[in-house]
Amino acid sequence: VISGVKLLQALGLSPGSGRDHAVLHSRSDLEEAFVHFMGKGAAAERFFSDRETFHDIAQAASEFPGAQHYVGGNAALIGQKFAANPDLKVLLCGPIGPKLHELLDDNVFVPPESLQEEDEFHLILEYLAGEEWGPFKAPQANRFIFSHDLSNGAMNMLEVFVSSLEEFQPDLVVLSGLHMMEGQSKELQRKRLLEVVTSISDIPTGIPVHLELASMTNRELMSSIVHQVFPAVASLGLNEQELLFLSQSASGPHASLSSWDGVPDVGMVSDILFWILKEHGRSKSRSSDLTRIHFHTLVYHILATVDGHWANQLAAVAAGARVAGTQACATETIDTNRVSLRAPQEFMTSRLEPGSRIVLNPNKPVVEWHREGVTFHFTPVLVCKDPVRTVGLGDAISAEGLFYSEAYPD
């Protein structure tokens, strides 16, 4: 984790015109994509195709004063969050190099087949709210992530993971990393996705499977994930960028919107969440396992669940919001001097049909509403004004929400 502007300056780059690249092939692609997202204050993640160049940049970043090495990868971060609870044991499968292994909590078990000789580095370029570089100014603090990670991209550890479950006997399975497949050929993506679905179906019935999404650019891959993987999992975790991209990729509501303008509209977000659960979730006529979506954006969270499958949603969504405030500020509890309330004070629950207008009540901050067999729980977030670290926040939110969620066995 490193200051994006400082690293790019150290690499001798200067801010030109911002431009998004689906895949980064060079240093100039990196510079253009970084300033494109920094100017919007938006999070993004991209694959860097050139191994040599990536290695050189990673080397420079690793030796840069102020660079910090943290546990990385959504699965590892979610595992670490769970492992902080002394009553929980976590099994982590993924390509785990020596540095990562040393950083993991003692409660995290790694099967020997998961260990490899070299670490896979992901570079997280952070920027602060108001930070400037050339003509670009970040409207809010966020980060740009890139990596050249082939073993995660090929989902190399999937079979090891499923074969370890029999002995481990989990109460919950968390999957992530499907976005890493963007660096693979179409043929391999297609083959691997089928194997992912087969592997998930090998997980014993009654164990909920949660899928954590991440930033993607390939609409075809996203659409395949929606149609093939969503019905095989019980729960999803995602942010506003992933939600809109998902809707654009699979012809959902508000798909004509090119990007969110500031804080994502609550009514639009709940329309898309409702559509995912109605079109791809559990129903009388569809044999899908999907019954829960935990959506998080900077200033509010929504937990949407199909009725009859989950309990304790109010505590789950509140716990997710609380951890967002404490982890970003690196405090044990919410420090009211360091956070601000930026959630909409009133909003509509839908933009597509007559929803209700809701006005936030500070005494009952979690709001609940219903729509055709789906229950929504909304909570504002106390946003850290000067975040110490934004990386892994989504993972912490999802982990905390899952920790407090109660799944009814079928």
Side-chain angles (χ1 to χ4, degrees):
V1 179
I2 190 168
S3 152
V5 172
K6 285 179 182 157
L7 175 66
L8 296 183
Q9 284 172 333
L11 293 170
L13 295 164
S14 53
S17 55
R19 183 167 156 236
D20 189 12
H21 294 273
V23 173
L24 310 177
H25 300 292
S26 64
R27 292 175 182 225
S28 67
D29 284 2
L30 169 64
E31 172 269 314
E32 289 179 346
F34 174 78
V35 295
H36 170 79
F37 287 102
M38 177 182 161
K40 291 177 183 289
E45 184 164 348
R46 296 291 178 265
F47 179 75
F48 199 103
S49 65
D50 184 327
R51 185 179 183 276
E52 292 304 308
T53 308
F54 178 80
H55 195 264
D56 294 346
I57 297 171
Q59 196 64 36
S62 212
E63 292 161 4
F64 195 82
Q68 291 165 301
H69 293 83
Y70 290 108
V71 167
N74 303 82
L77 285 161
I78 290 173
Q80 284 285 85
K81 192 73 197 161
F82 281 137
N85 184 303
D87 300 330
L88 296 183
K89 294 273 177 276
V90 177
L91 174 76
L92 177 67
C93 295
I96 294 166
K99 182 78 183 168
L100 177 56
H101 200 202
E102 166 198 321
L103 291 169
L104 289 171
D105 192 285
D106 291 345
N107 280 352
V108 177
F109 298 97
V110 177
E113 302 92 327
S114 274
L115 297 173
Q116 57 180 43
E117 283 171 19
E118 281 188 7
D119 283 283
E120 297 279 6
F121 282 104
H122 291 203
L123 276 85
I124 293 157
L125 309 189
E126 296 202 312
Y127 48 85
L128 304 169
E131 186 169 354
E132 294 180 45
W133 194 34
F136 299 93
K137 184 176 181 177
Q140 62 187 34
N142 223 319
R143 74 247 171 230
F144 181 82
I145 305 175
F146 67 104
S147 65
H148 175 84
D149 182 340
L150 293 173
S151 44
N152 271 312
M155 304 290 286
N156 279 347
M157 296 297 161
L158 188 68
E159 286 78 8
V160 168
F161 181 58
V162 176
S163 64
S164 312
L165 293 182
E166 207 168 324
E167 193 185 336
F168 190 75
Q169 302 264 305
D171 298 297
L172 169 73
V173 168
V174 177
L175 289 179
S176 73
L178 293 184
H179 63 291
M180 302 293 300
M181 293 166 75
E182 289 198 320
Q184 308 290 332
S185 68
K186 264 191 185 156
E187 204 35 60
L188 195 67
Q189 287 176 2
R190 200 169 298 139
K191 177 172 169 285
R192 220 51 193 123
L193 267 189
L194 287 171
E195 288 162 359
V196 166
V197 175
T198 307
S199 293
I200 298 172
S201 62
D202 288 343
I203 295 168
T205 317
I207 299 170
V209 179
H210 172 85
L211 173 64
E212 191 67 19
L213 292 175
S215 175
M216 289 176 65
T217 57
N218 182 330
R219 289 193 179 194
E220 205 178 317
L221 177 60
M222 183 76 242
S223 175
S224 300
I225 291 170
V226 171
H227 289 98
Q228 291 172 261
V229 185
F230 281 16
V233 301
S235 169
L236 285 181
L238 41 61
N239 69 16
E240 73 280 9
Q241 242 119 5
E242 293 138 25
L243 185 78
L244 184 57
F245 184 67
L246 190 163
S247 197
Q248 291 164 346
S249 303
S251 314
H254 310 297
S256 58
L257 197 67
S258 61
S259 63
W260 298 111
D261 183 17
V263 173
D265 180 86
V266 178
M268 287 184 172
V269 166
S270 70
D271 285 337
I272 303 175
L273 295 173
F274 178 74
W275 164 78
I276 298 171
L277 289 173
K278 276 292 172 202
E279 283 296 312
H280 303 283
R282 170 80 59 95
S283 70
K284 286 188 177 71
S285 59
R286 192 183 306 104
S287 63
S288 165
D289 284 338
L290 183 61
T291 49
R292 176 187 187 274
I293 307 174
H294 191 165
F295 167 83
H296 46 86
T297 184
L298 186 68
V299 302
Y300 69 84
H301 298 169
I302 296 177
L303 186 56
T305 47
V306 177
D307 294 349
H309 299 280
W310 296 87
N312 214 34
Q313 295 98 314
L314 193 151
V317 78
R322 181 180 59 188
V323 81
T326 54
Q327 185 160 310
C329 278
T331 51
E332 282 294 302
T333 53
I334 295 277
D335 178 346
T336 49
N337 299 316
R338 293 183 57 191
V339 294
S340 63
L341 183 63
R342 290 158 54 184
Q345 304 290 307
E346 52 180 271
F347 56 83
M348 295 298 293
T349 59
S350 172
R351 291 289 178 195
L352 290 180
E353 55 178 57
S356 45
R357 174 172 290 285
I358 286 181
V359 179
L360 277 192
N361 170 4
N363 298 315
K364 282 182 73 180
V366 178
V367 182
E368 181 182 330
W369 69 90
H370 303 270
R371 187 169 165 183
E372 290 175 43
V374 174
T375 299
F376 294 83
H377 285 82
F378 167 101
T379 178
V381 175
L382 292 167
V383 181
C384 186
K385 293 180 208 170
D386 49 342
V388 178
R389 210 165 117 230
T390 61
V391 67
L393 263 190
D395 300 308
I397 291 162
S398 284
E400 202 76 352
L402 284 165
F403 181 69
Y404 283 90
S405 290
E406 187 180 349
Y408 294 135
D410 290 330

